[in-house]
């Protein structure tokens, strides 16, 4: 099968085309014929050697998100069959930048019927992260005020829609390019982070969902209610500040959960959540896609098409 691999850590030019043997699904696994795979920041962080370096065996195939059709199933898989249309949030045992990818049963679900493969591939990792950050870690409730930093990106644009679907009031910080999109997605207040300081515009926040880290996270203490919650995908919030604000804090790594992929597909098919794909590249232009996500502004998601 065709794939894009990397043999050493470095810039986008370490990505190269290769022919690999088609994997065989083992018990509890499915083999997916990949039609599209999305690019996430974790892909370039792994490629550059800044993340999970010690646990990566090279050469490796990147890519945590795929959409495609079931090509084969391993023993014990009874609810999916060849030809079924699926999407998956792959664990680190697999890679989506290839014509075929293995997924464990817990990582794969039927793709939202209303999406094509390109849109469906943009969903799993980013939407699962948004879901787990808001609901599993943030325990967001209807009527609460949530501040989402980085709301125009892959995770953020799902988080805005999930929080609105839950009945929360959403305050969003975004790049100027994303103000219109995030308003259209339903955010109640949208703050251009390059033009205004969010702490001058908002206050009394029940939950801060931090997709940026650094100074943005530190400044968020000023707007969090006493007893509120600060959840980050990037950086452990200060325990000292948490104590002062009687706050609940967490940093987390999203994990594939089939029941969440099913719930997310239902919301999408009900028309409550849409998917923003800013650009597509062919699999063999993965270098350009990495360069773009790492160095340029991108709204929503970047997706690789796989022939
Ligand atoms: N822990 C986990 O399991 C997990 C899972 C998914 C993602 N993540 C991490 O979470 C972060 C977000 O992921 P993503 O996929 O949503 O990334 P993304 O698609 O690159 O989106 C990030 C967005 O934040 C905007 N931004 C940058 N600085 C900002 C600021 N100071 N205030 C507000 N917005 C700002 C960016 O706009 P500009 O480009 O114009 O700056 C971009 O639109 C990444 O660092 C990623 O690695 C972690």
């Amino acid at each position: 099968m065709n794939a894009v691999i990397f043999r050493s850590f470095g810039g986008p030019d370490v990505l190269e085309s290769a022919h690999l043997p088609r994997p065989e699904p083992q018990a509890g696994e499915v083999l997916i014929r990949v039609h599209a795979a999305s690019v996430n920041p974790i892909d370039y962080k792994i490629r550059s050697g800044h993340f999970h370096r010690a646990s990566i065996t090279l050469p490796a195939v990147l890519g945590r998100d795929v959409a495609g059709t079931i090509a084969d199933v391993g023993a014990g898989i009874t609810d999916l069959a060849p030809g079924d249309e699926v999407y998956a949030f792959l664990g680190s045992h697999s890679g989506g930048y290839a014509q075929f990818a293995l997924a464990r049963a817990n990582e794969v679900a039927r793709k939202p019927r209303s999406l094509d493969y390109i849109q469906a591939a943009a969903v799993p990792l980013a939407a699962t992260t948004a879901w787990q950050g808001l609901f599993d870690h943030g325990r967001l409730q209807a009527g609460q005020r949530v501040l989402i930093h980085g709301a125009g990106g892959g995770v953020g644009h799902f988080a805005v829609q999930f929080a609105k679907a839950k009945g929360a009031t959403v305050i969003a910080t975004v790049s100027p390019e994303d103000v219109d999109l995030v308003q259209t997605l339903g955010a109640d207040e949208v703050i251009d982070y390059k033009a205004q300081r969010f702490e001058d515009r908002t206050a009394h926040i029940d939950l801060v969902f931090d997709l940026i880290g650094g100074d943005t996270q530190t400044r968020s203490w000023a707007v969090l209610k006493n007893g509120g919650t600060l959840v980050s995908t990037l950086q452990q919030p200060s325990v000292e500040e948490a104590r002062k604000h009687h706050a609940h804090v967490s940093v987390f790594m999203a994990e594939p959960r089939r029941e969440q992929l099913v719930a997310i597909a239902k919301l999408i098919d009900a028309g409550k959540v849409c998917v923003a794909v800013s650009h597509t590249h062919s699999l063999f232009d993965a270098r350009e896609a990495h360069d773009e996500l790492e160095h340029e502004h991108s709204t929503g998601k970047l997706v690789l098409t796989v022939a």
Side-chain angles (χ1 to χ4, degrees):
M1 67 170 182
N2 293 323
V4 166
I5 63 168
F6 66 117
R7 297 176 195 276
S8 58
F9 297 105
D13 55 356
V14 300
L15 298 174
E16 59 176 272
S17 304
H19 285 282
L20 299 180
R22 178 176 146 157
E24 292 284 330
Q26 303 302 305
E29 292 181 337
V30 299
L31 182 69
I32 300 170
R33 168 77 173 88
V34 178
H35 293 287
S38 92
V39 183
N40 288 290
I42 193 172
D43 299 352
Y44 65 71
K45 292 179 186 181
I46 291 174
R47 186 214 69 222
S48 61
H50 291 133
F51 200 74
H52 283 176
R53 189 180 182 121
S55 61
I56 307 285
T57 308
L58 298 176
V61 180
L62 290 167
R64 308 295 298 275
D65 280 328
V66 295
T69 48
I70 297 287
D72 197 1
V73 300
I77 301 285
T78 53
D79 54 350
L80 291 171
D84 286 348
E85 298 185 340
V86 293
Y87 72 157
F89 174 0
L90 307 175
S92 51
H93 62 94
S94 185
Y97 293 10
Q99 281 182 307
F100 292 89
L102 291 172
R104 294 180 179 147
N106 190 42
E107 299 166 356
V108 58
R110 287 178 194 275
K111 118 179 148 45
R113 283 188 309 278
S114 53
L115 300 186
D116 60 25
Y117 290 115
I118 289 172
Q119 295 166 316
V123 176
L125 184 149
T128 298
T129 305
W131 189 279
Q132 292 178 4
L134 293 174
F135 305 131
D136 296 348
H137 299 275
R139 299 191 194 129
L140 182 68
Q141 301 297 323
Q144 289 189 325
R145 287 165 60 77
V146 57
L147 171 62
I148 301 169
H149 289 305
V155 178
H157 88 288
F158 287 117
V160 169
Q161 299 176 83
F162 293 162
K164 285 308 295 176
K166 182 76 181 178
T169 297
V170 174
I171 300 99
T173 65
V174 297
S175 258
E177 295 92 330
D178 296 336
V179 171
D180 290 349
L181 169 79
V182 173
Q183 267 164 354
T184 310
L185 297 179
D188 299 279
E189 284 176 53
V190 182
I191 302 166
D192 166 357
Y193 82 90
K194 292 184 178 162
Q196 289 169 305
R197 289 172 68 81
F198 61 85
E199 55 273 50
D200 296 336
R201 285 276 313 272
T202 194
H204 306 298
I205 299 294
D206 295 287
L207 169 63
V208 172
F209 189 25
D210 165 36
L211 304 170
I212 305 299
D215 176 52
T216 300
Q217 185 187 98
T218 311
R219 286 162 44 214
S220 296
W221 292 110
V223 301
L224 191 70
K225 272 186 189 168
N226 191 41
T229 303
L230 198 164
V231 174
S232 179
T233 56
L234 288 164
Q235 177 190 323
Q236 174 65 49
S238 154
V239 173
E240 198 178 305
E241 288 291 337
R243 216 175 283 127
K244 271 196 230 158
H245 292 83
H246 305 103
H248 304 273
V249 293
S250 64
V251 60
F252 74 103
M253 280 297 299
E255 289 172 358
R257 296 221 188 106
R258 182 183 216 170
E259 74 275 12
Q260 293 179 346
L261 290 175
V262 171
I264 289 164
K266 260 192 204 149
L267 274 181
I268 291 172
D269 284 336
K272 293 192 173 148
V273 170
C274 65
V275 183
V277 174
S278 59
H279 285 112
T280 59
H281 294 266
S282 96
L283 174 64
F284 298 112
D285 291 331
R287 287 179 179 183
E288 284 75 8
H290 271 226
D291 201 36
E292 191 176 326
L293 188 64
E294 203 172 348
H295 300 298
E296 292 170 28
H297 173 75
S298 72
T299 300
K301 296 281 304 172
L302 285 181
V303 176
L304 302 173
T305 54
V306 183

